[in-house]
Amino acid sequence: MTDKTYVFGHTNPDTDSIASAISMANLQTQTGRYAESYRLGNINKETKYALDTFNMQEPELLSKIEDHTNVIMVDNNEFSQSVNGIENAHIQMVVDHHRLNLHTSEPVYCIAEPVGCASTILYKLYRQEDVTITPRIAGMMLSAIISDTLMFRSPTCTDQDRITAEKLSKIAGINLYDYGYKLLEAGTDISDCTAEEIINIDSKDFMHHELKITISQINSSNVDEVFKRKPEIEKAIEAKIKKENIDLFVFVVTDILEANSRVIVLGNRTDIFERAFHTELIANTTLLKGVVSRKKQILPAILQGIDQKIEL
Amino acid sequence: MTDKTYVFGHTNPDTDSIASAISMANLQTQTGRYAESYRLGNINKETKYALDTFNMQEPELLSKIEDHTNVIMVDNNEFSQSVNGIENAHIQMVVDHHRLNLHTSEPVYCIAEPVGCASTILYKLYRQEDVTITPRIAGMMLSAIISDTLMFRSPTCTDQDRITAEKLSKIAGINLYDYGYKLLEAGTDISDCTAEEIINIDSKDFMHHELKITISQINSSNVDEVFKRKPEIEKAIEAKIKKENIDLFVFVVTDILEANSRVIVLGNRTDIFERAFHTELIANTTLLKGVVSRKKQILPAILQGIDQKIEL
């Protein structure tokens, strides 16, 4: 019991990275192993809402780890999205639902499944170990599933996520849909953010055939309200494009009620976006009906758009 | 049911690679998914003994796969030890007990555990899916555990492997130890092999700080008999060292009854071996008491031996 295990998700943590770290650390502790959850960045507003609702403390911030530290990676398996020093850590376990990009020098315990949320896998581990899920832990895990699947409407969502969320809502003693929309809504508040902050809330860069593509995404329950700030958002995007030599910047505002996305697309390669979605941008914008997932919908279409151009 | 899934282990297959491919393909089929097992090389004598005992056919040989083929990797997750074309396959699932070295472009189902044998994990999957294990399948899975753990004496062996083997022996209706020694014994027959064949039965290369190390291992129930052929084996090793620019060649003859290993060590960097094991080679040979695992005992010691030298 002397060797503590550090449990954490990815940098720029979302609700799943925090919830699955908390629930995994608890599962370890309940089965006699000393573990603590950590966060690799600031808590966002959605996660704060979940923590406040279920009366949970936010995990401590972790900026680096010593060599040979015992760690459990949840909701992530890529060193590039993990803590400083992860290369020399002793990885005990990985629980994730993303693509795999992992090298270890020794065999490790790894469970990866193509489900919508890491907390859905954690639920099964609690069942396997026969550990009781408290209402507060259930509330956090439920929040993670709602968040990752955008209330079951993301194409990443599976039946397992839906069924697990139903069960967790009963344990947590709350109405899934009432709570769910409040949670998602809490994450959409950008009233006190500058345009620069808005485009960096959840921004990811991708390189493909020497093109740098940035896809930034926010959720909103009032897309029109966001688009009232379009001029200043465009200015912030233009500045970032210039500073970081970005070829294509896609700013995605996902409507959590309608499950559509309205985008602002800038850069000198907007032709890639237009080809990818068979659309024409008018004043740098268009509506993508039924599109909510960066991972499953937007990114693959853009990569294919680039590949097609190369083949032409 | 039109899309067949190809199930296979690693190249130069051992009993676990064949048994876990067979049992995984069967598990898929029993749960309504069309899958077939394959082998990525010739069957060794130990595996042949197991197949014959349990009246199983050897899987078909697979030398390459088409793009987008559905595959399940068992007992391996490294592309370098897999079939030609694996890079462009659609990996549905990975079940393994080795270190992880895997990149995928999409989320996959991956179960890796630090147990002694992939078939030990397969046993749990059968239980999870509530699929009956037939005596013949149980016999193959049991053979894999006996083989990988050298009858539970390898340091890679866990309690889970032992318990699973006991259960499987009951399903298969055989005496674990009686059968086990016959199985291991069957794998030791080198009477019809040339010296060159002997040193290539199970040979793995490793690069470390620009040094090329080759560790070749065979099991034996009569080490003295093997060492009667020492002169011709040494000649074959010297030829291989010259041809392939090997710095250190370690030929390991593991005594399956005593759980020791006697080695022949050649190359211009035998000093690394001597430092690694705090021993002195006499006529190129020494006895390593209690050493049976290349992965857990021999390789780590040699790598450390190299690192120490560099620090000096």
Side-chain angles (χ1 to χ4, degrees):
Chain A
M1 289 287 286
T2 49
D3 259 355
K4 177 164 76 172
T5 296
Y6 290 67
V7 187
F8 43 79
H10 52 74
T11 49
N12 201 7
D14 57 8
T15 301
D16 191 26
S17 264
I18 299 299
S20 55
I22 289 173
S23 62
M24 173 57 91
N26 179 63
L27 177 62
Q28 293 295 312
T29 306
Q30 297 297 322
T31 50
R33 286 158 287 197
Y34 177 32
E36 268 183 41
S37 58
Y38 290 88
R39 62 184 165 89
L40 305 187
N42 291 332
I43 298 288
N44 68 32
K45 286 176 184 172
E46 181 194 272
T47 308
K48 186 174 185 325
Y49 183 83
L51 290 165
D52 289 348
T53 302
F54 298 105
N55 197 23
M56 299 288 283
Q57 275 200 309
E58 67 178 48
E60 213 177 293
L61 182 69
L62 189 67
S63 55
K64 65 171 183 179
I65 52 173
E66 306 285 318
D67 284 2
H68 313 300
T69 302
N70 291 321
V71 307
I72 296 179
M73 299 173 81
V74 290
D75 192 34
N76 175 42
N77 71 84
E78 305 204 29
F79 288 176
S80 65
Q81 295 166 19
S82 192
V83 72
N84 287 326
I86 188 74
E87 294 80 5
N88 299 316
H90 174 232
I91 300 170
Q92 292 185 322
M93 195 172 180
V94 176
V95 176
D96 198 10
H97 66 123
H98 294 94
R99 67 172 191 169
L100 289 172
N101 189 9
L102 184 61
H103 291 265
T104 65
S105 54
E106 287 171 61
V108 297
Y109 202 112
C110 169
I111 307 171
E113 293 189 32
V115 291
C117 181
S119 291
T120 300
I121 308 170
L122 259 304
Y123 176 86
K124 287 202 290 189
L125 298 184
Y126 268 82
R127 285 286 167 262
Q128 276 177 29
E129 301 269 355
D130 205 18
V131 171
T132 302
I133 303 176
T134 64
R136 289 162 65 208
I137 295 278
M140 289 308 299
M141 293 167 88
L142 171 64
S143 304
I145 299 176
I146 292 166
S147 168
D148 266 15
T149 67
L150 202 73
M151 196 68 115
F152 316 133
R153 287 170 312 182
S154 168
T156 58
C157 186
T158 67
D159 284 344
Q160 232 187 103
D161 297 298
R162 272 181 219 99
I163 292 163
T164 304
E166 292 283 354
K167 289 176 182 168
L168 288 168
S169 70
K170 277 169 197 148
I171 299 170
I174 55 164
N175 182 295
L176 202 167
Y177 289 88
D178 280 357
Y179 170 71
Y181 282 110
K182 280 184 203 154
L183 175 75
L184 293 176
E185 175 80 36
T188 66
D189 177 16
I190 53 164
S191 56
D192 60 352
C193 295
T194 66
E196 198 191 336
E197 283 167 349
I198 291 169
I199 66 165
N200 286 307
I201 286 172
D202 181 8
S203 176
K204 288 193 182 170
D205 298 330
F206 305 92
M207 291 298 302
H208 194 63
H209 291 300
E210 295 180 10
L211 291 169
K212 184 172 179 183
I213 301 114
T214 301
I215 309 177
S216 166
Q217 186 173 27
I218 63 167
N219 287 340
S220 179
S221 57
N222 191 337
V223 176
D224 289 344
E225 202 64 36
V226 177
F227 270 73
K228 278 188 188 155
R229 298 178 67 177
K230 183 164 175 274
E232 52 166 323
I233 289 170
E234 285 180 340
K235 212 173 147 187
I237 294 172
E238 291 289 11
K240 190 172 163 111
I241 285 174
K242 203 171 168 186
K243 192 176 161 200
E244 300 180 14
N245 287 312
I246 297 163
D247 296 290
L248 173 63
F249 193 109
V250 184
F251 177 64
V252 184
V253 184
T254 299
D255 187 329
I256 59 171
L257 303 171
E258 301 292 332
N260 292 326
S261 293
R262 181 165 280 285
V263 295
I264 297 173
V265 185
L266 290 167
N268 52 31
R269 294 307 304 273
T270 56
D271 62 300
I272 293 168
F273 181 90
E274 291 184 323
R275 192 167 51 249
F277 288 98
H278 312 286
T279 185
E280 200 180 345
L281 295 164
I282 296 171
N284 309 323
T285 184
T286 191
L287 177 72
L288 301 178
K289 285 198 175 174
V291 171
V292 299
S293 169
R294 172 167 51 196
K295 178 166 70 176
K296 277 246 184 177
Q297 295 172 309
I298 300 171
L299 180 62
I302 288 174
L303 297 184
Q304 218 183 340
I306 294 171
D307 291 342
Q308 278 168 4
K309 179 71 181 182
I310 284 166
E311 283 165 20
L312 289 178
Chain B
M1 291 288 286
T2 49
D3 258 356
K4 178 164 77 172
T5 296
Y6 290 68
V7 187
F8 44 79
H10 51 75
T11 49
N12 200 9
D14 57 8
T15 301
D16 192 26
S17 264
I18 299 301
S20 55
I22 289 173
S23 62
M24 173 56 93
N26 179 63
L27 177 61
Q28 293 295 311
T29 306
Q30 297 298 322
T31 49
R33 288 158 287 197
Y34 177 32
E36 269 183 39
S37 58
Y38 290 88
R39 61 182 165 91
L40 305 187
N42 292 331
I43 297 288
N44 68 33
K45 286 175 183 172
E46 181 195 272
T47 309
K48 187 173 185 325
Y49 182 83
L51 290 165
D52 290 348
T53 303
F54 298 105
N55 196 23
M56 299 289 284
Q57 277 201 306
E58 68 179 48
E60 213 176 293
L61 182 67
L62 189 68
S63 55
K64 63 172 182 175
I65 51 172
E66 306 284 318
D67 285 1
H68 313 300
T69 302
N70 291 322
V71 309
I72 296 178
M73 300 173 81
V74 289
D75 192 33
N76 175 42
N77 72 85
E78 304 204 30
F79 288 176
S80 65
Q81 295 168 19
S82 191
V83 72
N84 288 326
I86 188 74
E87 293 80 4
N88 299 316
H90 174 231
I91 300 169
Q92 292 183 321
M93 197 171 179
V94 176
V95 176
D96 197 10
H97 67 122
H98 294 93
R99 67 172 192 168
L100 290 172
N101 189 10
L102 183 62
H103 291 265
T104 65
S105 55
E106 286 170 63
V108 298
Y109 202 112
C110 168
I111 307 172
E113 293 189 32
V115 292
C117 181
S119 291
T120 300
I121 308 171
L122 260 304
Y123 176 85
K124 287 202 290 188
L125 298 184
Y126 269 83
R127 285 285 167 262
Q128 274 176 30
E129 301 269 356
D130 207 17
V131 171
T132 302
I133 303 176
T134 64
R136 289 163 65 209
I137 295 278
M140 290 307 298
M141 292 167 88
L142 171 64
S143 304
I145 299 175
I146 292 166
S147 168
D148 266 15
T149 66
L150 201 72
M151 196 67 116
F152 316 133
R153 288 171 312 182
S154 168
T156 59
C157 185
T158 67
D159 284 343
Q160 233 187 102
D161 298 298
R162 271 181 220 101
I163 293 164
T164 304
E166 291 283 354
K167 289 177 181 169
L168 288 168
S169 70
K170 280 172 194 145
I171 299 171
I174 56 165
N175 182 296
L176 203 167
Y177 288 87
D178 281 358
Y179 170 71
Y181 281 109
K182 280 183 202 153
L183 174 75
L184 293 176
E185 175 81 34
T188 66
D189 178 16
I190 53 166
S191 56
D192 59 351
C193 295
T194 66
E196 198 190 337
E197 283 167 348
I198 291 169
I199 65 164
N200 286 307
I201 286 173
D202 181 8
S203 177
K204 288 192 182 170
D205 298 330
F206 305 91
M207 290 297 301
H208 194 63
H209 291 300
E210 296 180 9
L211 291 169
K212 185 171 180 183
I213 301 114
T214 301
I215 309 176
S216 167
Q217 186 172 27
I218 63 167
N219 287 341
S220 179
S221 58
N222 191 338
V223 176
D224 289 343
E225 202 65 37
V226 177
F227 269 73
K228 279 188 189 157
R229 297 179 67 178
K230 183 163 175 272
E232 52 167 323
I233 289 170
E234 286 180 339
K235 212 173 148 188
I237 293 172
E238 292 288 12
K240 191 172 162 111
I241 284 173
K242 202 171 169 187
K243 194 177 160 200
E244 300 180 14
N245 287 314
I246 296 163
D247 296 289
L248 173 65
F249 193 108
V250 183
F251 178 64
V252 184
V253 184
T254 299
D255 186 328
I256 59 170
L257 303 172
E258 301 293 331
N260 293 326
S261 294
R262 180 165 280 286
V263 294
I264 297 174
V265 186
L266 290 167
N268 52 30
R269 295 307 305 273
T270 54
D271 62 300
I272 293 168
F273 181 90
E274 291 185 323
R275 193 167 49 249
F277 288 98
H278 312 287
T279 185
E280 199 179 346
L281 295 164
I282 297 171
N284 309 322
T285 183
T286 191
L287 177 71
L288 302 178
K289 285 200 175 175
V291 171
V292 299
S293 169
R294 172 167 50 197
K295 179 165 70 175
K296 277 245 184 177
Q297 295 173 308
I298 301 171
L299 180 62
I302 289 175
L303 297 184
Q304 218 183 340
I306 295 171
D307 292 341
Q308 277 167 4
K309 179 71 180 181
I310 284 166
E311 283 165 19
L312 290 177

